[in-house]
Amino acid sequence: MTVPIFEVRDVTYSYREVTALDGLNLTIMPGQRIVLLGANGSGKSTLLSMLDGLCFPEKGSVAFQGEPLAEDRLIGEVEFAFRRRVALVFQNPDVQLFNPTVFDEVAFGPLQLHWPKEQVRLRVSEILEQMEIGNLKDRSPHHLSTGEKKRVALASVLILDPEVLLLDEPTAALDPKSESQMIDFLVSCSGGRKTVVTATHDLDLVEDVADYCHIFRRGRIVAAGTPTEILNDHALLLNTNLVHAHRHAHAPGELHSHPHRHGHRH
Amino acid sequence: MTRAGKNSRGVVERSLASFVDALEHAFYAEELAKKNGLLQKLDPRVKIVAILPLIVIAALARRLWVIAVLFALAVAIALLSSVPLGTLARRVWLGVLTFTGFISFPALFLTPGPAISSLPLLGWTVTAQGLRAAIYLIMRAETAATFSVLLVLCTPWSNVLKALRVLRLPVVLVVVLGMTYRYIFLLLRNAHDMFTSRKSRIVGRLDGPEQRRAATASVGVLMSKTIQLSGDVYLAMRSRGFQGEVYVLDEFRTNWFDWAMLALFITVAFLAFWFGR
């Protein structure tokens, strides 16, 4: 029997008086491409941090490949092994880009995981070319556009070739061209054996990067299904603030409203 | 509007201007560092080892002609490194002249020695020793500052920091300095956006106490954002394997040109030290 990559059981987590996760249950199997859909503040980012071992449940449990993912276990060599296999791309690239240059940034992870320095140099150059950002290698992150920052942030984790890729709002704040490039990269890197968990409220991203969706609301999963099932359930999307009712007139004086989402597909 | 109100508004506007200026200056410095000049070609470690002795010797030399030769050398290096002299004049020479001129001004009159001139109206006498002391101070400061600025203008700041490891600075200190340099721009931009955003929503003018309250609140918000950011950055580091000890790449490589220039700089420094004793 295949062991789940992640098994989340009755997890509760709160920031002081605000409950972020409320009795959450979720199972993620190896190689699955999952999207966590939800409005801002619904608990998606907290769950990603928890899956990356950066915060831990107040109640309930998280298991990684059948082993408990707990603070007292995630130390030393166990943590190194976990970091080699699971990587998180943060929503705000400024948080993730803390090194003085792009080259240093991409090299940071492998160096902390004790890769040989020659191998690090080689792999950094390769991944920068692969992501089409080789020309940025000596630039400081504060000189980059948001799209470039997002690509550097993605490169800084893809260099580790992790089995599990956790992505927090990968297309947030991108212009249409950068968004399209980012989706192309995500599609190209999410095939094969990788497990990809993407947190987003961008419905245009869903069909490209997911086989299955979980809808979040107030720290709970309120629905799940294939992208087609979810995207066609307008009542559900409206109820979870993923679309909004848009008033418009079809003829003079005939003003009405219905669920509406922005974006264009070709 | 009260006088206090005018002054406070001036402070806010000056702060905004200095934020923007700091950002522009950093961008300009990095553009210069990319040019194909003499200093830009050198390994950053070589630059530090070559230029630091020249700065120290310029500050200590006892002969004016030696300081003048070092100053001429700094100007020649600037030209060979594509650093516009107008930039040096505006950003270094004028500022240093004003500052050291202000400091050395009393020495013109207070240093004992034969009088060579006197100020009209006030009648204060300028002594030869006083004039000599003022010229020494100004020349030393101008020369040392020119070498220092050339080092910083012709080297990306990140490389300057890494090269400091040649002086046996601990890795963790170099990393902290690098992160400070990285995030100071983000916080400057945040502060700039906050001030601009508030300014765009204010109709009329606030009085002094209101301005101070608003400025204090902004500082508080910025502090809160900084603490949040530092926590998030720590998590991002942890997520990529950081466990309290930082490992970094040392990617500098020297070639024959670096060694030749290092030998030349050290020879010049030795000669300047010898003749400037």
Side-chain angles (χ1 to χ4, degrees), chain A residues 52 54 74-76 79-80 83 86 88 90 93-101 103-109 111-114 117-118 120-121 139-143 156-157, chain B residues 23 26-27 30-31 34 156 158-159 161-162 165 175 178-179 181-183 185-186 189 229 232-233 235-243 245-253:
Chain A
D52 196 38
L54 299 175
L74 203 61
I75 48 176
E79 182 171 11
F80 275 141
R83 300 291 171 210
V86 181
L88 169 64
F90 286 69
D94 279 320
V95 164
Q96 198 164 347
L97 307 186
F98 45 79
N99 282 284
T101 68
F103 194 93
D104 291 329
E105 192 60 63
V106 180
F108 182 86
L111 286 169
Q112 308 321 301
L113 297 178
H114 304 166
K117 290 192 174 180
E118 275 312 311
V120 173
R121 287 193 184 94
R139 298 266 293 274
S140 292
H142 64 266
H143 287 180
S156 72
V157 301
Chain B
L23 285 171
F27 276 98
E30 299 226 351
E31 286 304 311
K34 283 185 208 154
S158 54
N159 286 353
L161 291 173
K162 283 186 202 166
R165 288 178 58 203
V175 171
M179 289 177 72
Y181 175 69
R182 160 73 182 95
Y183 283 107
F185 290 100
L186 189 64
R189 205 176 288 280
L229 181 68
D232 290 345
V233 170
L235 291 179
M237 292 174 74
R238 184 95 195 263
S239 172
R240 280 153 69 196
F242 172 71
Q243 287 193 352
E245 192 170 348
V246 190
Y247 300 91
V248 294
L249 269 185
D250 182 9
E251 69 266 40
F252 299 136
R253 301 247 166 92

Side-chain angles (χ1 to χ4, degrees), chain A residues 21-22 86 95 113 146 160 169 188 195 217 254 262:
Chain A
L21 299 176
D22 185 11
V86 181
V95 164
L113 297 178
T146 307
L160 299 170
E169 301 285 2
S188 67
T195 306
R217 190 179 183 205
E254 288 183 22
H262 293 278

Side-chain angles (χ1 to χ4, degrees), chain B residues 82-138:
Chain B
S82 308
V83 177
L85 294 187
T87 303
L88 279 181
R90 277 195 313 277
R91 296 192 176 184
V92 186
W93 297 338
L94 198 60
V96 173
L97 180 66
T98 309
F99 186 68
T100 51
F102 182 74
I103 291 172
S104 62
F105 186 70
L108 289 173
F109 314 103
L110 298 177
T111 310
I116 54 169
S117 180
S118 66
L119 281 187
L121 299 175
L122 292 171
W124 296 352
T125 53
V126 178
T127 67
Q129 276 80 358
L131 184 61
R132 183 181 151 85
I135 290 173
Y136 263 90
L137 180 64
I138 291 170

Side-chain angles (χ1 to χ4, degrees), chain A:
Chain A
M1 195 178 99
T2 310
V3 178
I5 278 279
F6 287 109
E7 192 145 28
V8 180
R9 286 285 161 264
D10 298 321
V11 162
T12 298
Y13 188 86
S14 55
Y15 299 97
R16 294 185 183 168
E17 68 274 14
V18 180
T19 302
L21 299 176
D22 185 11
L24 188 84
N25 288 291
L26 176 67
T27 301
I28 301 172
M29 300 305 289
Q32 265 195 317
R33 300 188 311 154
I34 284 185
V35 157
L36 310 176
L37 271 173
N40 293 334
S42 59
K44 311 182 299 287
S45 297
T46 304
L47 178 62
L48 287 190
S49 292
M50 205 168 270
L51 297 180
D52 196 38
L54 299 175
C55 64
F56 300 92
E58 291 165 1
K59 290 181 192 165
S61 65
V62 179
F64 173 68
Q65 291 208 315
E67 298 291 329
L69 191 59
E71 196 164 13
D72 56 346
R73 289 193 79 251
L74 203 61
I75 48 176
E77 284 304 315
V78 175
E79 182 171 11
F80 275 141
F82 179 76
R83 300 291 171 210
R84 281 187 203 109
R85 300 174 69 184
V86 181
L88 169 64
V89 179
F90 286 69
Q91 178 178 358
N92 178 2
D94 279 320
V95 164
Q96 198 164 347
L97 307 186
F98 45 79
N99 282 284
T101 68
V102 167
F103 194 93
D104 291 329
E105 192 60 63
V106 180
F108 182 86
L111 286 169
Q112 308 321 301
L113 297 178
H114 304 166
W115 285 21
K117 290 192 174 180
E118 275 312 311
Q119 189 190 350
V120 173
R121 287 193 184 94
L122 189 67
R123 278 296 294 147
V124 171
S125 299
E126 283 174 0
I127 200 88
L128 290 177
E129 289 308 318
Q130 193 183 326
M131 299 288 289
E132 299 172 15
I133 47 176
N135 58 322
L136 306 177
K137 72 183 176 76
D138 295 323
R139 298 266 293 274
S140 292
H142 64 266
H143 287 180
L144 305 179
S145 68
T146 307
E148 289 170 336
K149 284 180 187 173
K150 289 259 187 187
R151 280 156 76 174
V152 174
L154 189 58
S156 72
V157 301
L158 284 182
I159 190 172
L160 299 170
D161 193 22
E163 287 171 44
V164 182
L165 193 55
L166 308 169
L167 304 160
D168 195 357
E169 301 285 2
T171 56
L174 293 182
D175 59 60
K177 186 180 175 190
S178 302
E179 181 178 335
S180 166
Q181 284 176 331
M182 178 58 76
I183 291 173
D184 287 345
F185 280 123
L186 295 179
V187 171
S188 67
C189 72
S190 63
R193 63 183 176 82
K194 268 195 209 319
T195 306
V196 183
V197 182
T198 309
T200 186
H201 56 247
D202 181 356
L203 298 181
D204 287 326
L205 186 65
V206 174
E207 285 179 316
D208 291 318
V209 300
D211 305 318
Y212 205 72
C213 305
H214 295 272
I215 307 285
F216 272 61
R217 190 179 183 205
R218 293 179 189 158
R220 286 173 172 269
I221 292 175
V222 293
T226 63
T228 310
E229 288 167 353
I230 294 294
L231 293 177
N232 288 327
D233 191 342
H234 293 296
L236 172 69
L237 297 178
L238 191 61
N239 195 33
T240 50
N241 291 335
L242 288 165
V243 293
H244 64 96
H246 188 72
R247 279 190 305 279
H248 57 177
H250 284 279
E254 288 183 22
L255 194 68
H256 77 163
S257 67
H258 58 77
H260 178 89
R261 57 188 260 224
H262 293 278
H264 304 276
R265 303 190 66 82
H266 299 285

Side-chain angles (χ1 to χ4, degrees), chain B residues 12 14 18 186 219 235 271:
Chain B
V12 172
R14 278 200 300 278
S18 63
L186 189 64
V219 170
L235 291 179
L271 290 174

